[in-house]
Amino acid sequence: MNMHTFNRSQNPSTLLATISLLAFGTPTPVKSQGVKKQPNIILFMVDDMGWQDTSLPFADSITANNRKYDTPNMKRLAAEGMMFTDAYATPISSPSRCSLMTGMNMARHRVTNWTLHRDQMTDGKREGVTLPDWNYNGIAQSGNVGHTTKAISFVQLLKDAGYHTIHCGKAHWGAIDTPGENPCHFGFETNITGTAAGGLATYLSERNYGFTKDGKPTSPFAIHGLEHYWGTGVFATEALTREAIASLEKAKKYNQPFYLYMSHYAVHVPIDRDMRFYPTYRARGLSEKEAAYASLIAGMDKSLGDLMDWIEKAGLNRETIIIFMSDNGGLASSSYWRDGELYTQNAPLKSGKGSLYEGGIRVPFIVRWKNVVKPNTRSHTPIIIEDLYPTLLSMAGIKNCHVPQTIDGRDITPLLRGKQQNFENRQLIWNYPNIWDGEGLGISLNCAIREGKWKLIYSYLTGQKELYDLSNDLSENYNVASAHPQVVEQLYRHLTSQLHEMKAQKPIVNYSK
């Protein structure tokens, strides 16, 4: 095995193989170099939140969806920081979260669909399609479980550099009975509810968050560790927020920087009603389903506000960086959970979760970093979730990190400082050679590339190439491949070259079927 070390490079892969694995090197923190002390960092991750599930407009104008929801604390955060209008994740939870923790593109770590049970794929089936043997056991830092990608998490590096590390909420990095199911395996000192589960049984304390009265889970998605809230009427989003703040109170006494991963289950299904907000949305005329969904959004936003209030009261405003994002696009393929025309719930974006259309991969992203990020600013530079790995380490001033994986993410701190160098015409890559168990537009068996204003989607199933000019067609209504054959050829060559370099997998399709 080789180790890889951080180096400034013009190459999109910012970690280059340089030394042999002799020992895990201790990262050098910035404070040892006589610079300001390391900042506290909060990564506020929302599950399945669409780009338009907010009253904060990420598009150029206010949309109907923006008028539907109330997210005053997202607006508050954006007023104090920078919004990224063209931020991306992957179409499904596990690939996004594994890219976050490893810095690797989904094509490279090969956790390309959601994970749960050890040694079991979660894919649907389609006649004539043989799926690749992807890493359905997730990621881990050590161990010998097959179908697992080994990588050192940035959390481990933060911890080794003196950070107190807290996980609160959803994990979803490794299958049940693998090392990666436990956040503590990745360097978290405190773990609140994190397991192999990619969702939750219920948000309701009246149902014990998925447990029977005698403590038996009713499903693999029961939320562990919230027993003292059972039967209290406290919604899961609120319970997690209270637990996170209690951990921060403790962390403040340690006199060391902290990293909090506030990873909400909201707004993932089931769409339970948060009765603190549900009646308000019903009174506005929203249907029962849409009012319930809006109540999940409102509860998530209140959690953000509660954390911001705690930071301010604790006197840590200038010392604490807050990053807000979602792990994939919003659900738009289920009439059971949502009302309205299918595949349009993320309008003006097309489709939703599980799709490589913009509705499935473009996500809200905000960064507040006092005295560094200019308040109330916007960046239109495309970025992707694996960028957080080198970015968070850069924010913490951590250098000289030696890790076994190749890092595909780019440090975006120059963008946060108002600089654009080396980001022009960057290539963003997605590979989804799997079959998600949902139905919808552009879901399953495809790959894609974005370069500048152009986006190409290639279907493994049909061989079709779709080309969109996102600068003029954000909704991806007009496939202009036939009008720009040279652009299609160039992007397809770049896409296949990148996938080949990352040893990406693809399905085998019998076109006669």
Side-chain angles (χ1 to χ4, degrees), residues 35-118:
V35 189
K36 289 182 181 179
K37 73 174 186 177
Q38 292 159 292
N40 305 311
I41 302 172
I42 296 177
L43 175 54
F44 191 98
M45 181 71 73
V46 190
D47 197 8
D48 288 1
M49 179 185 178
W51 192 65
Q52 289 291 289
D53 289 345
T54 171
S55 56
L56 177 67
F58 281 82
D60 293 335
S61 59
I62 296 175
T63 67
N65 275 328
N66 294 149
R67 296 186 181 96
K68 181 188 296 186
Y69 304 110
D70 293 312
T71 54
N73 293 299
M74 286 184 67
K75 288 184 175 181
R76 174 182 165 194
L77 187 68
E80 299 176 5
M82 179 180 287
M83 298 170 57
F84 283 77
T85 62
D86 294 49
Y88 291 94
T90 79
I92 297 291
S93 176
S94 289
S96 286
R97 291 166 190 267
C98 291
S99 289
L100 165 68
M101 291 293 279
T102 67
M104 304 166 77
N105 184 270
M106 66 184 299
R108 193 183 299 277
H109 62 60
R110 295 184 173 185
V111 186
T112 46
N113 209 350
W114 63 282
T115 62
L116 182 58
H117 295 289
R118 178 168 171 160

Coordinates of all heavy atoms in Angstrom, one line a residue, residues 35-118:
V35 N 0.6 30.7 14.3 CA -0.5 31.4 13.6 C -1.7 31.4 14.6 O -1.6 30.8 15.7 CB -0.9 30.8 12.3 CG1 -1.9 31.6 11.5 CG2 0.4 30.6 11.5
K36 N -2.8 32.1 14.3 CA -4.0 32.1 15.1 C -4.4 30.7 15.5 O -4.2 29.7 14.8 CB -5.1 32.8 14.4 CG -5.0 34.3 14.2 CD -6.2 34.8 13.5 CE -6.1 36.3 13.3 NZ -7.3 36.9 12.6
K37 N -5.0 30.6 16.6 CA -5.4 29.2 17.1 C -6.5 28.7 16.1 O -7.2 29.4 15.4 CB -6.0 29.3 18.5 CG -7.3 29.9 18.7 CD -7.7 29.7 20.2 CE -9.2 30.2 20.4 NZ -9.6 30.0 21.8
Q38 N -6.6 27.4 16.1 CA -7.5 26.7 15.2 C -9.0 27.0 15.5 O -9.4 27.1 16.7 CB -7.3 25.2 15.3 CG -5.9 24.7 14.8 CD -5.5 23.4 15.4 OE1 -5.3 23.2 16.6 NE2 -5.5 22.4 14.5
P39 N -9.7 27.2 14.5 CA -11.2 27.5 14.6 C -12.0 26.3 15.0 O -11.6 25.2 14.7 CB -11.6 28.1 13.3 CG -10.7 27.3 12.3 CD -9.4 27.1 13.0
N40 N -13.1 26.6 15.7 CA -14.1 25.5 15.8 C -14.8 25.4 14.5 O -14.9 26.4 13.7 CB -15.1 25.9 16.9 CG -14.5 26.2 18.2 OD1 -13.7 25.5 18.7 ND2 -14.9 27.4 18.8
I41 N -15.3 24.2 14.2 CA -16.0 23.9 12.9 C -17.3 23.2 13.2 O -17.3 22.1 13.9 CB -15.1 23.1 11.9 CG1 -13.8 23.9 11.7 CG2 -15.8 22.9 10.6 CD1 -12.7 23.1 10.9
I42 N -18.3 23.6 12.6 CA -19.6 22.9 12.6 C -20.0 22.6 11.1 O -20.2 23.6 10.4 CB -20.7 23.7 13.3 CG1 -20.4 23.9 14.8 CG2 -22.1 23.0 13.1 CD1 -21.4 24.7 15.5
L43 N -20.2 21.4 10.8 CA -20.7 21.0 9.5 C -22.2 20.6 9.7 O -22.4 19.5 10.4 CB -19.9 19.9 8.9 CG -20.5 19.3 7.6 CD1 -20.7 20.4 6.5 CD2 -19.5 18.2 7.0
F44 N -23.1 21.3 9.2 CA -24.5 21.1 9.4 C -25.1 20.4 8.2 O -25.2 21.1 7.1 CB -25.2 22.5 9.7 CG -26.6 22.4 10.1 CD1 -26.9 22.5 11.5 CD2 -27.7 22.2 9.2 CE1 -28.3 22.4 11.9 CE2 -29.0 22.1 9.7 CZ -29.3 22.2 11.0
M45 N -25.3 19.1 8.2 CA -25.7 18.3 7.1 C -27.2 18.0 7.2 O -27.6 17.5 8.2 CB -24.9 17.0 7.0 CG -25.2 16.1 5.8 SD -24.6 16.8 4.3 CE -22.9 16.5 4.4
V46 N -27.9 18.3 6.1 CA -29.3 17.9 6.0 C -29.5 16.7 5.1 O -28.8 16.6 4.1 CB -30.1 19.1 5.6 CG1 -31.6 18.8 5.7 CG2 -29.8 20.4 6.3
D47 N -30.4 15.9 5.4 CA -30.6 14.6 4.6 C -31.7 14.8 3.6 O -32.8 15.2 4.0 CB -30.9 13.5 5.6 CG -30.7 12.1 4.9 OD1 -30.2 12.1 3.8 OD2 -31.1 11.1 5.5
D48 N -31.4 14.7 2.3 CA -32.4 14.7 1.2 C -33.0 16.1 1.1 O -34.1 16.2 0.6 CB -33.5 13.7 1.5 CG -33.0 12.2 1.3 OD1 -31.9 12.0 1.0 OD2 -33.9 11.3 1.4
M49 N -32.3 17.1 1.4 CA -32.9 18.5 1.2 C -32.6 19.0 -0.2 O -31.5 19.1 -0.6 CB -32.3 19.4 2.3 CG -32.9 20.8 2.1 SD -32.1 22.0 3.2 CE -32.9 23.5 2.7
G50 N -33.7 19.4 -0.9 CA -33.5 19.9 -2.2 C -33.0 21.3 -2.3 O -33.0 22.0 -1.3
W51 N -32.4 21.7 -3.4 CA -31.9 23.0 -3.6 C -32.9 24.1 -3.4 O -32.5 25.2 -3.1 CB -31.3 23.0 -5.1 CG -30.4 24.1 -5.5 CD1 -29.2 24.4 -5.0 CD2 -30.7 25.1 -6.5 NE1 -28.7 25.5 -5.7 CE2 -29.6 25.9 -6.7 CE3 -31.8 25.3 -7.4 CZ2 -29.5 26.9 -7.6 CZ3 -31.7 26.3 -8.4 CH2 -30.6 27.1 -8.4
Q52 N -34.2 23.8 -3.6 CA -35.2 24.8 -3.5 C -36.1 24.6 -2.2 O -37.1 25.3 -2.1 CB -36.1 24.7 -4.7 CG -35.4 25.2 -6.0 CD -35.2 26.7 -5.9 OE1 -36.1 27.5 -6.0 NE2 -34.0 27.1 -5.8
D53 N -35.7 23.7 -1.3 CA -36.5 23.5 -0.1 C -36.1 24.6 1.0 O -35.8 24.3 2.1 CB -36.2 22.1 0.5 CG -36.7 21.0 -0.4 OD1 -37.6 21.3 -1.2 OD2 -36.3 19.8 -0.2
T54 N -36.2 25.8 0.6 CA -35.8 26.9 1.5 C -36.4 28.2 0.9 O -36.7 28.4 -0.2 CB -34.3 27.0 1.5 OG1 -33.9 28.2 2.2 CG2 -33.7 27.0 0.1
S55 N -36.6 29.2 1.9 CA -37.0 30.5 1.4 C -35.8 31.3 1.0 O -36.0 32.5 0.5 CB -37.7 31.2 2.6 OG -36.9 31.3 3.8
L56 N -34.6 30.8 1.1 CA -33.4 31.4 0.6 C -33.2 31.1 -0.8 O -32.9 29.9 -1.2 CB -32.2 31.0 1.5 CG -30.8 31.5 1.1 CD1 -30.8 33.0 1.4 CD2 -29.7 30.8 1.9
P57 N -33.3 32.0 -1.8 CA -33.2 31.7 -3.2 C -31.7 31.4 -3.6 O -30.9 32.3 -3.5 CB -33.7 32.9 -3.9 CG -33.6 34.0 -2.9 CD -33.6 33.4 -1.6
F58 N -31.4 30.2 -4.1 CA -30.1 29.9 -4.7 C -30.1 30.2 -6.2 O -29.1 30.3 -6.8 CB -29.7 28.5 -4.4 CG -29.2 28.3 -3.0 CD1 -30.1 28.1 -1.9 CD2 -27.9 28.3 -2.7 CE1 -29.7 27.9 -0.6 CE2 -27.4 28.1 -1.4 CZ -28.3 27.9 -0.4
A59 N -31.3 30.3 -6.8 CA -31.4 30.6 -8.2 C -31.3 32.2 -8.3 O -31.2 32.9 -7.3 CB -32.7 30.1 -8.7
D60 N -31.4 32.6 -9.6 CA -31.2 34.1 -9.8 C -32.5 34.9 -9.4 O -32.4 36.1 -9.3 CB -31.0 34.3 -11.3 CG -29.6 33.8 -11.7 OD1 -28.7 33.7 -10.8 OD2 -29.4 33.5 -12.9
S61 N -33.6 34.2 -9.2 CA -34.8 34.8 -8.8 C -35.6 34.0 -7.8 O -35.3 32.8 -7.7 CB -35.7 35.1 -10.0 OG -36.0 33.9 -10.7
I62 N -36.5 34.5 -7.1 CA -37.3 33.8 -6.1 C -38.3 32.9 -6.9 O -39.0 33.3 -7.8 CB -38.1 34.8 -5.2 CG1 -37.1 35.6 -4.4 CG2 -39.0 34.0 -4.3 CD1 -37.7 36.7 -3.5
T63 N -38.4 31.7 -6.4 CA -39.2 30.7 -7.1 C -40.5 30.3 -6.2 O -40.6 30.8 -5.1 CB -38.4 29.4 -7.3 OG1 -38.1 28.8 -6.1 CG2 -37.2 29.7 -8.1
A64 N -41.4 29.6 -6.8 CA -42.6 29.2 -6.1 C -42.2 28.3 -4.8 O -42.8 28.5 -3.8 CB -43.5 28.4 -7.0
N65 N -41.2 27.5 -5.0 CA -40.8 26.7 -3.8 C -40.2 27.6 -2.7 O -40.4 27.4 -1.5 CB -39.7 25.7 -4.2 CG -40.3 24.4 -4.8 OD1 -41.4 24.0 -4.3 ND2 -39.7 23.8 -5.7
N66 N -39.4 28.6 -3.1 CA -38.9 29.5 -2.1 C -40.0 30.2 -1.3 O -39.9 30.5 -0.1 CB -38.1 30.7 -2.8 CG -36.8 30.1 -3.4 OD1 -36.4 30.7 -4.4 ND2 -36.2 29.1 -2.9
R67 N -41.2 30.5 -2.0 CA -42.3 31.1 -1.3 C -43.0 30.1 -0.4 O -43.8 30.5 0.5 CB -43.2 31.7 -2.3 CG -42.6 32.9 -3.1 CD -43.7 33.5 -4.0 NE -43.0 34.6 -4.8 CZ -42.6 34.5 -6.0 NH1 -42.7 33.3 -6.6 NH2 -42.1 35.5 -6.7
K68 N -42.8 28.8 -0.6 CA -43.6 27.8 0.1 C -43.0 27.7 1.6 O -43.7 27.4 2.5 CB -43.5 26.5 -0.6 CG -44.3 25.4 0.1 CD -44.1 24.0 -0.6 CE -44.6 24.0 -2.0 NZ -44.5 22.6 -2.6
Y69 N -41.7 27.8 1.7 CA -41.0 27.4 2.9 C -40.5 28.7 3.7 O -40.4 29.8 3.2 CB -39.8 26.5 2.6 CG -40.2 25.3 1.9 CD1 -39.8 25.2 0.5 CD2 -40.9 24.3 2.4 CE1 -40.1 24.0 -0.2 CE2 -41.2 23.1 1.7 CZ -40.8 23.0 0.4 OH -41.2 21.9 -0.3
D70 N -40.3 28.4 5.0 CA -39.7 29.5 5.9 C -38.4 29.0 6.5 O -38.4 28.0 7.3 CB -40.7 29.8 7.0 CG -41.9 30.5 6.5 OD1 -41.8 31.5 5.7 OD2 -43.1 30.1 6.9
T71 N -37.3 29.5 6.1 CA -36.0 29.2 6.6 C -35.2 30.4 7.0 O -34.2 30.8 6.4 CB -35.2 28.3 5.6 OG1 -35.1 29.0 4.4 CG2 -35.9 27.0 5.4
P72 N -35.7 31.1 8.0 CA -35.1 32.4 8.4 C -33.6 32.2 8.9 O -32.8 33.2 8.7 CB -35.9 32.9 9.5 CG -36.6 31.7 10.1 CD -36.9 30.8 8.9
N73 N -33.3 31.1 9.4 CA -31.9 30.9 9.9 C -30.9 30.6 8.8 O -29.7 30.9 8.9 CB -31.9 29.9 11.0 CG -32.6 30.3 12.2 OD1 -32.3 31.3 12.8 ND2 -33.7 29.6 12.6
M74 N -31.4 29.9 7.7 CA -30.6 29.8 6.5 C -30.3 31.2 6.0 O -29.2 31.5 5.5 CB -31.2 28.9 5.5 CG -31.2 27.4 5.8 SD -32.0 26.5 4.5 CE -30.7 26.7 3.2
K75 N -31.3 32.1 5.9 CA -31.1 33.4 5.5 C -30.1 34.2 6.4 O -29.2 34.9 5.9 CB -32.4 34.2 5.4 CG -33.4 33.7 4.4 CD -34.6 34.6 4.4 CE -35.6 34.3 3.2 NZ -36.8 35.1 3.2
R76 N -30.2 34.0 7.6 CA -29.3 34.6 8.6 C -27.9 34.1 8.4 O -27.0 34.9 8.4 CB -29.8 34.2 10.0 CG -28.9 34.6 11.2 CD -29.6 34.1 12.4 NE -28.7 34.1 13.6 CZ -29.0 33.5 14.7 NH1 -30.1 32.7 14.8 NH2 -28.2 33.5 15.8
L77 N -27.7 32.8 8.2 CA -26.4 32.3 7.9 C -25.8 32.9 6.6 O -24.6 33.3 6.6 CB -26.4 30.8 7.9 CG -25.1 30.1 7.8 CD1 -24.3 30.2 9.1 CD2 -25.3 28.6 7.5
A78 N -26.6 32.9 5.6 CA -26.2 33.4 4.3 C -25.8 34.9 4.4 O -24.9 35.4 3.7 CB -27.2 33.2 3.2
A79 N -26.5 35.7 5.2 CA -26.3 37.1 5.3 C -24.9 37.3 6.0 O -24.3 38.4 5.8 CB -27.4 37.8 6.2
E80 N -24.4 36.3 6.7 CA -23.1 36.4 7.4 C -22.0 35.7 6.7 O -20.9 35.6 7.1 CB -23.3 35.9 8.8 CG -24.3 36.6 9.7 CD -24.4 36.0 11.1 OE1 -23.7 35.0 11.4 OE2 -25.3 36.4 11.8
G81 N -22.4 35.1 5.5 CA -21.4 34.3 4.8 C -21.5 34.3 3.3 O -22.0 35.2 2.7
M82 N -21.1 33.1 2.7 CA -21.1 33.0 1.2 C -22.0 31.8 0.8 O -21.9 30.7 1.4 CB -19.7 32.8 0.7 CG -19.6 32.6 -0.8 SD -17.9 32.3 -1.4 CE -17.2 34.0 -1.2
M83 N -22.9 32.1 -0.1 CA -23.7 31.0 -0.7 C -23.0 30.5 -2.0 O -22.5 31.3 -2.7 CB -25.1 31.5 -1.1 CG -25.9 32.0 0.0 SD -27.4 32.9 -0.6 CE -28.2 31.6 -1.6
F84 N -23.0 29.2 -2.1 CA -22.5 28.6 -3.4 C -23.8 28.1 -4.2 O -24.5 27.2 -3.7 CB -21.6 27.4 -3.1 CG -20.2 27.9 -2.7 CD1 -20.0 28.3 -1.4 CD2 -19.2 27.8 -3.6 CE1 -18.7 28.8 -1.0 CE2 -17.9 28.2 -3.2 CZ -17.7 28.7 -1.9
T85 N -24.0 28.7 -5.3 CA -25.2 28.4 -6.1 C -25.1 27.1 -6.9 O -26.0 26.5 -7.3 CB -25.5 29.5 -7.1 OG1 -24.4 29.7 -8.0 CG2 -25.8 30.8 -6.3
D86 N -23.8 26.7 -7.1 CA -23.5 25.5 -8.0 C -22.8 24.5 -7.2 O -21.7 24.0 -7.6 CB -22.7 26.0 -9.2 CG -23.5 26.9 -10.2 OD1 -24.1 27.8 -9.7 OD2 -23.5 26.6 -11.4
A87 N -23.3 24.2 -6.0 CA -22.6 23.1 -5.2 C -23.3 21.8 -5.5 O -24.5 21.7 -5.7 CB -22.8 23.5 -3.7
Y88 N -22.5 20.7 -5.4 CA -23.0 19.4 -5.8 C -22.6 18.4 -4.7 O -21.6 18.5 -4.1 CB -22.4 19.0 -7.1 CG -23.0 19.7 -8.3 CD1 -22.2 20.8 -8.8 CD2 -24.1 19.4 -9.0 CE1 -22.7 21.6 -9.9 CE2 -24.6 20.1 -10.0 CZ -23.9 21.2 -10.5 OH -24.4 21.9 -11.6
A89 N -23.5 17.3 -4.7 CA -23.2 16.1 -3.9 C -23.3 15.0 -5.0 O -23.1 15.2 -6.2 CB -24.1 15.9 -2.7
T90 N -23.6 13.8 -4.5 CA -24.0 12.7 -5.4 C -25.5 12.4 -5.3 O -26.1 13.0 -4.5 CB -23.2 11.4 -5.0 OG1 -23.8 10.8 -3.9 CG2 -21.7 11.7 -4.6
P91 N -26.0 11.5 -6.1 CA -27.5 11.4 -6.1 C -28.1 10.6 -4.9 O -29.3 10.6 -4.8 CB -27.8 10.7 -7.4 CG -26.5 10.0 -7.8 CD -25.4 10.8 -7.3
I92 N -27.2 10.0 -4.1 CA -27.7 9.1 -3.1 C -26.8 9.3 -1.8 O -25.6 9.7 -1.9 CB -27.6 7.6 -3.5 CG1 -28.5 7.3 -4.7 CG2 -27.9 6.7 -2.4 CD1 -30.0 7.4 -4.4
S93 N -27.3 9.0 -0.7 CA -26.7 9.3 0.6 C -25.3 8.7 0.8 O -24.4 9.4 1.0 CB -27.6 8.9 1.8 OG -27.0 9.1 3.0
S94 N -25.2 7.4 0.8 CA -23.9 6.8 1.1 C -22.8 7.2 0.3 O -21.7 7.6 0.8 CB -24.1 5.2 1.1 OG -24.8 4.8 2.1
P95 N -23.0 7.3 -1.1 CA -21.8 7.8 -1.9 C -21.4 9.2 -1.5 O -20.2 9.5 -1.4 CB -22.4 7.8 -3.3 CG -23.5 6.8 -3.3 CD -24.1 6.8 -1.9
S96 N -22.4 10.1 -1.2 CA -22.0 11.5 -0.8 C -21.2 11.5 0.5 O -20.2 12.1 0.7 CB -23.3 12.3 -0.6 OG -23.8 12.7 -1.8
R97 N -21.7 10.7 1.5 CA -21.1 10.7 2.8 C -19.8 10.1 2.8 O -18.9 10.5 3.5 CB -22.1 10.1 3.8 CG -23.3 11.0 4.1 CD -24.5 10.2 4.8 NE -25.7 11.1 4.7 CZ -26.0 11.9 5.7 NH1 -25.3 12.1 6.7 NH2 -27.1 12.7 5.5
C98 N -19.6 9.1 2.0 CA -18.3 8.4 1.8 C -17.3 9.4 1.1 O -16.1 9.4 1.4 CB -18.4 7.1 1.1 SG -19.3 5.8 2.1
S99 N -17.8 10.1 0.2 CA -16.9 11.1 -0.5 C -16.5 12.2 0.5 O -15.4 12.7 0.5 CB -17.6 11.7 -1.7 OG -17.7 10.8 -2.8
L100 N -17.4 12.6 1.3 CA -17.1 13.6 2.4 C -16.0 13.1 3.3 O -15.0 13.8 3.5 CB -18.4 13.9 3.2 CG -18.2 14.6 4.6 CD1 -17.7 16.0 4.3 CD2 -19.4 14.5 5.4
M101 N -16.1 11.9 3.8 CA -15.2 11.4 4.8 C -13.8 11.0 4.2 O -12.8 11.0 4.9 CB -15.8 10.2 5.5 CG -17.0 10.5 6.3 SD -16.5 11.5 7.8 CE -15.9 10.2 8.9
T102 N -13.8 10.7 2.9 CA -12.5 10.2 2.3 C -11.9 11.2 1.3 O -10.7 11.1 1.0 CB -12.8 8.9 1.5 OG1 -13.6 9.2 0.4 CG2 -13.4 7.8 2.4
G103 N -12.7 12.2 0.9 CA -12.2 13.1 -0.1 C -12.1 12.5 -1.5 O -11.6 13.1 -2.5
M104 N -12.6 11.3 -1.7 CA -12.6 10.6 -3.0 C -13.9 10.8 -3.7 O -15.0 10.8 -3.2 CB -12.4 9.1 -2.7 CG -11.2 8.7 -1.9 SD -11.2 7.0 -1.3 CE -10.7 6.2 -2.8
N105 N -13.8 10.8 -5.0 CA -14.9 10.8 -5.9 C -15.7 9.5 -5.8 O -15.1 8.4 -5.5 CB -14.5 11.1 -7.4 CG -15.7 11.2 -8.3 OD1 -16.2 10.2 -8.9 ND2 -16.2 12.4 -8.5
M106 N -17.0 9.5 -6.0 CA -17.8 8.3 -5.9 C -17.3 7.2 -6.8 O -17.4 6.0 -6.5 CB -19.3 8.6 -6.1 CG -19.6 9.0 -7.5 SD -21.4 9.4 -7.7 CE -22.2 7.9 -7.2
A107 N -16.8 7.6 -8.0 CA -16.3 6.6 -8.9 C -15.0 5.9 -8.4 O -14.8 4.7 -8.7 CB -15.9 7.2 -10.2
R108 N -14.3 6.6 -7.5 CA -13.0 6.0 -7.0 C -13.3 5.1 -5.8 O -12.7 4.0 -5.7 CB -12.0 7.1 -6.7 CG -10.6 6.6 -6.4 CD -9.6 7.7 -6.0 NE -9.5 8.7 -7.0 CZ -8.7 8.7 -8.0 NH1 -7.9 7.6 -8.3 NH2 -8.6 9.7 -8.9
H109 N -14.1 5.6 -4.9 CA -14.3 4.7 -3.7 C -15.3 3.6 -3.9 O -15.4 2.7 -3.1 CB -14.7 5.6 -2.4 CG -16.0 6.4 -2.5 ND1 -17.2 5.8 -2.7 CD2 -16.2 7.7 -2.4 CE1 -18.1 6.7 -2.7 NE2 -17.6 7.9 -2.5
R110 N -16.1 3.7 -5.0 CA -17.0 2.6 -5.4 C -18.1 2.3 -4.4 O -18.8 1.3 -4.6 CB -16.2 1.4 -5.7 CG -15.3 1.5 -6.9 CD -14.6 0.2 -7.2 NE -13.8 0.3 -8.5 CZ -13.2 -0.8 -9.0 NH1 -13.3 -2.0 -8.4 NH2 -12.5 -0.7 -10.1
V111 N -18.4 3.2 -3.5 CA -19.6 3.0 -2.7 C -20.7 3.8 -3.5 O -21.0 5.0 -3.1 CB -19.4 3.5 -1.3 CG1 -20.7 3.2 -0.4 CG2 -18.2 3.0 -0.6
T112 N -21.2 3.2 -4.5 CA -22.0 3.9 -5.5 C -23.5 3.8 -5.3 O -24.3 4.4 -6.1 CB -21.6 3.5 -6.9 OG1 -21.6 2.1 -6.9 CG2 -20.3 4.1 -7.3
N113 N -23.9 3.1 -4.2 CA -25.3 3.1 -3.9 C -25.4 3.1 -2.3 O -24.4 3.1 -1.7 CB -26.0 1.8 -4.5 CG -27.5 2.1 -4.7 OD1 -28.1 3.1 -4.3 ND2 -28.1 1.1 -5.5
W114 N -26.6 3.0 -1.8 CA -26.8 3.1 -0.3 C -26.5 1.8 0.3 O -26.7 0.7 -0.3 CB -28.2 3.6 0.0 CG -29.3 2.8 -0.4 CD1 -29.9 2.7 -1.6 CD2 -30.1 1.9 0.5 NE1 -30.9 1.8 -1.6 CE2 -31.1 1.3 -0.3 CE3 -30.0 1.5 1.8 CZ2 -32.0 0.4 0.2 CZ3 -30.9 0.6 2.4 CH2 -31.9 0.1 1.5
T115 N -25.9 1.8 1.5 CA -25.5 0.6 2.2 C -26.4 0.4 3.4 O -27.0 1.3 4.0 CB -24.0 0.8 2.7 OG1 -24.0 1.9 3.6 CG2 -23.1 1.1 1.5
L116 N -26.4 -0.9 3.9 CA -27.1 -1.3 5.1 C -26.6 -2.6 5.7 O -25.9 -2.6 6.7 CB -28.6 -1.3 4.9 CG -29.5 -1.6 6.1 CD1 -29.2 -0.6 7.2 CD2 -31.0 -1.7 5.8
H117 N -27.0 -3.7 5.1 CA -26.6 -5.0 5.6 C -25.3 -5.5 5.0 O -25.0 -5.3 3.8 CB -27.7 -6.0 5.3 CG -29.0 -5.8 6.0 ND1 -29.2 -5.9 7.3 CD2 -30.2 -5.3 5.5 CE1 -30.5 -5.6 7.6 NE2 -31.1 -5.2 6.5
R118 N -24.5 -6.1 5.9 CA -23.2 -6.6 5.4 C -23.3 -7.6 4.3 O -24.2 -8.5 4.3 CB -22.5 -7.2 6.6 CG -21.1 -7.8 6.2 CD -20.3 -8.2 7.4 NE -19.1 -8.9 7.0 CZ -18.0 -9.1 7.8 NH1 -18.0 -8.5 9.0 NH2 -17.0 -9.8 7.3

